[in-house]
Amino acid sequence: MLGLVVNPVAGVGGPAGLGGSDGAAAQASAAERGAQPRAGERARLALELVHEAIGGPLEVLTAAGPMGEDAVRAAGLVPRIVVRPGAATSPADTVAAADALVAAGATLVLFAGGDGTARDVARGLDAVGAGGGARVAALGIPAGVKMYSPVFAVSPRAAGALAAAWLDGGLPVEEREVLDLDEDALRLGRVEPRLHAAMPVPVRRGRTQARKAATPASEAAAVSAAVDGVLRLLRPGVRYLLGPGGTTAELARRLGLPKTRLGVDVVLDGRLLRAAASESELLDEIAAGPARAVVSIIGGQGFLLGRGNQQLSARVLRALGEEPLLVVAPEQKLVELGGRPLLVDTGDPAVDRALAGFVRVVTGPGTSSISPVNAPDAEASSASRTEGEGHAP
Amino acid sequence: MSLPLAPKPAIRRFHQARWDEPVIFELSTPGERGVLVPAVEPGVRDAVGDVLAELPAGLRRAAPPALPEMAQMRVLKHYLRLSQENLGADLNVDIGQGTCTMKYSPKINDQLVATPQLTAMHPLQDPADAQGVLEIVWRLERMLAEISGMDEVSLQTQGGSAAIWANIAMIRAYHEANGEGEQRREVITTIFSHPSNAAAAKAAGYEVVTIHPDADGYPDLAALKAALSPRTAAIMVTNPEDTGIYNPAITEWVDAAHAVGALASYDQANANGILGITRARDAGFDVCHFNLHKTFSTPHGCGGPGSGANAVSAALAPFLPGPRIVRIGEGDDARFEVQGAGPQSIGTVAPFFGVVPNLVRAYAWIMALGAEGLLAAAETAVLNNNYLLAKVLEIPGASAPYASGRRRIEQVRYSWQELYEETGITSEEIGVRMSDFGMHYWTSHHPYVVPQPFTLEPTESYSKAELDEYVAALAEVAREARETPEIVRTAPHRQSVHHTHHDDLDDPARWAVTWRAYLRKYPEVAARLAGEPESTADASAA
């Protein structure tokens, strides 16, 4: 069954120029500036497409009033209320609603909002934390200000099309990251997305008619291939600092090791030396012998360093020496950057400049791609994108 | 007084035939025969004896083959019905299979290769009796050498990917001959080059390094320079790429490769936009290949065997596949001989001399057009493509990412991303719906670098009216995506079959390309055909 939760205040901070809508103060400020809620309207657009596709009345599990019921009714579908929030809704209501939707039997939780809403839904689905694993799939109807997490459909109607296909017989799911920016930092001019969780999101594979090319491998297969590529490059006697992310988690799994979801773990010759190491612990490990950091791409912006893996600091990078990074990612992640460079932001312009240029990204066994790397916060970063500065593995 | 004719609709009300035709094995009736072979006359039998006795026991079947048993007329009907359930190249406006170069394959060339002068030939025939066809093959090699600017050509490979394989095999042999085989372990390609370049290099044991385009869609020279090293064996690139964008820095690419001792390999499978305009060797390339079934009009793989051509510089000539056809002497005294592969050759990559009927077709095509005709074909293909580009961009929701405002060479990779964001309808769904209008449609190689992609290539063969017709059908489907999306989402409605399931084609446990495999993997079908009750089928499935 389909579940729906709407964050009625999602997106109000965008038009108001607040860079987000988190926190009661921002919401009050947005209201003062005349902001109108739009999440309910975007949820209706998605559900209308579900209605068209199903072609009849459909019961949707949801929360009362503006948190879902109103949108379900407006789309001509039948709400079944599973939770009744108070008058002024809060993030806790979204968490509770997601939890209640699963308890009532939802197999796909649609949510209308932005990254903050995604984070609350992930919490409700038990997808947050090192050992977390979401109970059911979720899909975002884009309605927020910040949507860095790749858990959103490209438009409300695209979300509706995916939901209809889900009801029509299911879709495969892929683990996607839930990111959120620190809005207070953002209002001070710093873009700092953090990795909060990972949850399964339905994806649509192509249908077959003109079959000239092979079907794209599933994301899981692509991640697995990229990991195969890295496994061939691991050398004995070298400490590998595994950064956060699904690809490095798969690498650890293939090594038969546990992996902290959001931490940097240190591995030597197939043994786990440290889990969730701090910067100083990483420096200790590097001092003990040759070492290299294995990193992947965080979120849709293409950060290699400085987002979600701040433990891999400028001091750590300096200590790692000439070839500090072994970068691994499925080809599709690079494709999704649409020609934009990978980004590094260690906070130290000299280190960032040294990393800028081109990097070789391992995409499979015996395959790699060359990606440009920019250091947006380092001076003259564009000038550093010149030949010969690649730091290939 | 004449009766008024009803005007034809602007968009065809095409409907594919639907015969629900069984697989031919299901049509078999035991004992039914197409030809009743008369008994051997006693005199003949006495003179010849038991011919089967001459066969070694290991070559004899224990039982007759399980072939379908049918009369001629039923066989004829069966295949005619199947042909009506097809969208053949001679039937539709076949510009939707971009990168395939679906040009007209002249029927007179089919008649040429159907003459006994060719069909009665045997590859093991004494060359003295085969001078005509050997001369055709030799002359076609010289023409392709002239078209590419290269020194030597082999026509042995039987398809495009086989030709790419031969390219990398020659490159590998070249480096090994120079003592650099161990050192040079990497091949660099671009993500918009044909993926067979990466695949062939990988199959030849190389590490493959892929360059992504810059933000404007041009191959990134700085990224190439960052990737090149003494470990590089070769760059293997297509130009223009699948986007229809021509790499303006192609000579710098080749020079950069040569500067580190690497070779440069040019995928000219589709040279349709550059015939008579640019030449691979003039840009410095060491090796290139053509697909005769793209650029030179011979039928494609599914309509007949493909045919590749490998062209190389003098330095790589010793490594060409063999045997080769050589000309001895000049003028009227010239004769043609078959020469075995040389000591440095990569050897035989296909039996004998390649797909000779297609070599004859390509030869006839080039001879009919002449040098000025080849140039006119390229110029017309480019003109058609840019007319089509302008028309497609008039459709709301369609775009042509990259190189904004610039013209393209012979094809364009378009995007329906805007339409998708508005309607949730994907490019694949649009493609399926296009088949309801009797049109082919293709998205892109994977990965989808251009979101919601579709690739059109009009070649020189199609008229303005046909290009307009194709665009009108595209515009109609885009309108449906907005106004009646369910029609698009549930398409096809006028096709022989509805959806095939992806997973049945991807899963080795479920795909079946032979009748025997089908019966083995689907025991319930085998049981039904054998007339067994369903419970038996379940038991055998378990």
Side-chain angles (χ1 to χ4, degrees):
Chain A
M1 273 191 93
L2 206 56
L4 172 75
V5 55
V6 174
N7 172 4
V9 298
V12 296
L18 297 174
S21 320
D22 295 353
Q27 288 158 22
S29 172
E32 278 171 23
R33 297 182 194 195
Q36 293 294 318
R38 59 177 196 143
E41 170 65 11
R42 311 231 342 139
R44 178 183 67 79
L45 285 172
L47 290 181
E48 270 182 359
L49 197 139
V50 174
H51 190 176
E52 287 167 22
I54 301 296
L58 173 79
E59 205 173 54
V60 178
L61 304 171
T62 191
M67 279 193 69
E69 178 189 0
D70 297 351
V72 174
R73 285 192 199 286
L77 299 175
V78 182
R80 196 208 302 171
I81 312 297
V82 298
V83 63
R84 292 186 180 278
T89 62
S90 72
D93 290 314
T94 305
V95 177
D99 179 58
L101 290 173
V102 178
T107 58
L108 173 65
V109 172
L110 284 177
F111 61 93
D115 281 331
T117 316
R119 192 176 158 184
D120 296 332
V121 168
R123 189 166 293 135
L125 301 185
D126 297 338
V128 176
R135 289 182 285 168
V136 301
L139 176 66
I141 301 165
V145 180
K146 301 161 294 155
M147 286 174 285
Y148 292 98
S149 310
V151 298
F152 293 95
V154 295
S155 69
R157 289 185 68 80
L162 283 165
W166 178 273
L167 293 172
D168 192 32
L171 285 173
V173 296
E174 289 172 0
E175 280 277 295
R176 295 284 174 86
E177 299 145 330
V178 177
L179 305 160
D180 198 7
L181 296 185
D182 180 332
E183 287 188 10
D184 290 333
L186 187 65
R187 290 188 191 104
L188 296 172
R190 298 198 307 271
V191 180
E192 291 184 4
R194 290 174 54 92
L195 177 61
H196 287 286
M199 58 188 184
V201 173
V203 292
R204 173 175 247 162
R205 297 173 66 194
R207 287 197 321 214
T208 301
Q209 193 75 13
R211 190 179 179 78
K212 185 166 112 170
T215 313
S218 69
E219 184 168 312
V223 168
S224 175
V227 166
D228 281 337
V230 171
L231 284 170
R232 291 170 22 141
L233 300 173
L234 299 185
R235 297 286 171 261
V238 178
R239 285 167 165 74
Y240 291 99
L241 285 44
L242 308 188
T247 309
T248 44
E250 174 64 11
L251 175 61
R253 196 188 68 76
R254 295 283 292 279
L255 291 169
L257 301 173
K259 174 82 185 74
T260 58
R261 193 170 280 260
L262 306 179
V264 177
D265 301 351
V266 183
V267 170
L268 169 68
D269 295 332
R271 287 176 295 123
L272 178 68
L273 298 186
R274 276 182 208 268
S278 66
E279 181 193 22
S280 63
E281 288 170 333
L282 292 175
L283 289 169
D284 289 347
E285 291 293 344
I286 296 166
R292 206 162 177 206
V294 182
V295 298
S296 195
I297 300 166
I298 303 290
Q301 292 175 303
F303 272 97
L304 284 183
L305 292 170
R307 300 292 183 271
N309 56 7
Q310 279 88 343
Q311 307 94 313
L312 296 170
S313 65
R315 288 174 65 200
V316 168
L317 268 293
R318 262 206 212 92
L320 285 170
E322 282 293 298
E323 290 188 351
L325 299 182
L326 206 169
V327 183
V328 53
E331 185 89 53
Q332 189 62 29
K333 276 233 175 187
L334 301 174
V335 164
E336 283 164 8
L337 291 173
R340 286 177 289 122
L342 299 173
L343 302 171
V344 291
D345 177 18
T346 64
D348 181 328
V351 170
D352 288 354
R353 266 198 299 278
L355 291 167
F358 289 93
V359 70
R360 190 172 290 212
V361 181
V362 176
T363 55
T367 62
S368 57
S369 283
I370 301 292
S371 286
V373 179
N374 272 15
D377 286 358
E379 289 175 349
S381 62
S382 58
S384 71
R385 233 200 90 177
T386 54
E387 61 185 278
E389 288 203 15
H391 28 271
Chain B
M1 183 184 143
S2 62
L3 290 169
L5 283 172
K8 293 276 189 267
I11 294 179
R12 287 177 204 273
R13 291 170 294 178
F14 170 81
H15 201 302
Q16 186 79 278
R18 183 180 297 171
W19 286 102
D20 297 325
E21 186 68 4
V23 175
I24 195 165
F25 289 93
E26 296 174 87
L27 294 172
S28 179
T29 306
E32 191 172 318
R33 286 291 177 273
V35 179
L36 292 175
V37 183
V40 181
E41 293 162 35
V44 174
R45 190 190 299 141
D46 293 345
V48 175
D50 183 2
V51 290
L52 296 180
E54 297 294 316
L55 276 179
L59 286 180
R60 293 192 210 179
R61 284 181 170 277
L67 296 174
E69 299 173 75
M70 293 170 76
Q72 288 189 25
M73 194 178 179
R74 291 185 69 208
V75 175
L76 177 68
K77 270 184 219 165
H78 174 71
Y79 285 107
L80 266 179
R81 287 169 179 169
L82 292 185
S83 76
Q84 290 187 354
E85 294 187 331
N86 242 320
L87 264 183
D90 290 338
L91 198 60
N92 82 112
V93 181
D94 213 356
I95 66 174
Q97 301 196 70
T99 79
C100 274
T101 319
M102 300 303 294
K103 64 173 65 181
Y104 175 56
S105 188
K107 296 304 148 197
I108 191 170
N109 295 345
D110 290 346
Q111 292 174 10
L112 267 179
V113 301
T115 55
Q117 286 93 324
L118 200 63
T119 56
M121 298 293 297
H122 192 281
L124 291 178
Q125 204 161 332
D126 188 333
D129 298 337
Q131 287 293 295
V133 70
L134 292 181
E135 181 171 357
I136 286 176
V137 175
W138 185 86
R139 285 189 180 280
L140 180 60
E141 285 184 2
R142 296 321 307 158
M143 289 172 176
L144 294 172
E146 183 62 31
I147 288 167
S148 61
M150 295 289 178
D151 294 301
E152 294 288 339
V153 174
S154 164
L155 297 168
Q156 207 189 29
T157 53
Q158 296 183 324
S161 295
I164 297 175
W165 162 262
N167 284 347
I168 188 64
M170 287 188 282
I171 288 164
R172 187 175 59 182
Y174 172 88
H175 287 311
E176 283 171 357
N178 290 329
E180 293 188 340
E182 292 292 314
Q183 169 200 331
R184 298 190 180 275
R185 300 307 316 147
E186 291 178 356
V187 167
I188 300 171
T189 186
T190 70
I191 201 157
F192 281 133
S193 288
H194 194 284
S196 285
N197 289 281
K202 196 74 196 301
Y206 286 98
E207 308 265 319
V208 177
V209 183
T210 303
I211 308 284
H212 288 244
D214 67 16
D216 258 349
Y218 289 95
D220 192 334
L221 180 61
L224 171 72
K225 289 182 175 176
L228 284 166
S229 77
R231 286 176 52 75
T232 311
I235 62 169
M236 298 183 78
V237 295
T238 306
N239 187 37
E241 297 194 305
D242 282 3
T243 50
I245 293 173
Y246 190 88
N247 182 351
I250 193 65
T251 52
E252 285 92 331
W253 273 60
V254 174
D255 292 347
H258 286 164
V260 298
L263 295 176
S265 176
Y266 194 161
D267 179 342
Q268 291 200 311
N270 173 359
N272 213 41
I274 56 176
L275 279 178
I277 298 169
T278 67
R279 304 199 305 172
R281 188 64 185 148
D282 294 348
F285 281 95
D286 305 287
V287 51
C288 71
H289 81 279
F290 298 104
N291 287 10
L292 301 184
H293 52 281
K294 287 185 176 178
T295 310
F296 298 99
S297 90
T298 73
H300 277 64
C302 298
S307 187
N310 295 86
V312 296
S313 67
L316 279 168
F319 306 98
L320 276 173
R324 305 285 312 283
I325 292 165
V326 294
R327 184 173 71 165
I328 312 289
E330 296 284 334
D332 291 344
D333 296 332
R335 61 193 166 79
F336 298 87
E337 291 191 355
V338 178
Q339 209 169 63
Q344 290 188 297
S345 164
I346 61 167
T348 295
V349 294
F352 304 112
F353 316 113
V355 184
V356 172
N358 278 352
L359 304 184
V360 174
R361 284 187 181 95
Y363 177 78
W365 191 77
I366 294 172
M367 289 297 284
L369 286 177
E372 66 283 1
L374 295 183
L375 176 62
E379 289 175 343
T380 308
V382 174
L383 181 65
N384 272 357
N385 184 47
N386 284 284
Y387 172 76
L388 190 70
L389 171 63
K391 297 291 285 185
V392 171
L393 292 182
E394 289 173 6
I395 304 174
S399 63
Y402 303 132
S404 180
R406 307 286 296 273
R407 302 214 188 282
R408 305 294 171 99
I409 308 292
E410 88 295 14
Q411 63 191 8
V412 178
R413 180 148 298 156
Y414 299 91
S415 174
W416 284 121
Q417 180 66 12
E418 287 170 35
L419 186 75
Y420 171 66
E421 288 179 18
E422 187 186 334
T423 65
I425 297 287
T426 65
S427 181
E428 278 105 351
E429 288 168 328
I430 288 173
V432 174
R433 178 62 176 153
M434 282 295 282
S435 74
D436 278 342
F437 295 92
M439 308 281 195
H440 269 300
Y441 176 101
W442 184 61
T443 52
S444 160
H445 297 115
H446 293 287
Y448 283 180
V449 179
V450 168
Q452 300 301 330
F454 63 111
T455 312
L456 309 182
E457 180 189 8
T459 78
E460 71 279 14
S461 296
Y462 292 94
S463 68
K464 177 175 173 298
E466 286 171 307
L467 302 185
D468 288 341
E469 182 184 348
Y470 194 91
V471 172
L474 266 186
E476 173 66 9
V477 177
R479 186 191 63 75
E480 289 177 342
R482 290 190 177 83
E483 296 176 13
T484 52
E486 273 314 291
I487 287 181
V488 182
R489 195 171 287 116
T490 55
H493 306 285
R494 305 196 291 247
Q495 276 296 327
S496 308
V497 294
H498 203 66
H499 294 151
T500 49
H501 289 284
H502 243 92
D503 294 343
D504 290 350
L505 301 174
D506 289 342
D507 182 355
R510 277 189 278 175
W511 72 45
V513 293
T514 67
W515 179 247
R516 227 184 292 180
Y518 180 55
L519 295 182
R520 190 176 68 245
K521 294 178 184 180
Y522 295 85
E524 68 279 13
V525 177
R528 174 166 55 75
L529 291 173
E532 295 170 27
E534 213 160 294
S535 56
T536 316
D538 291 344
S540 64

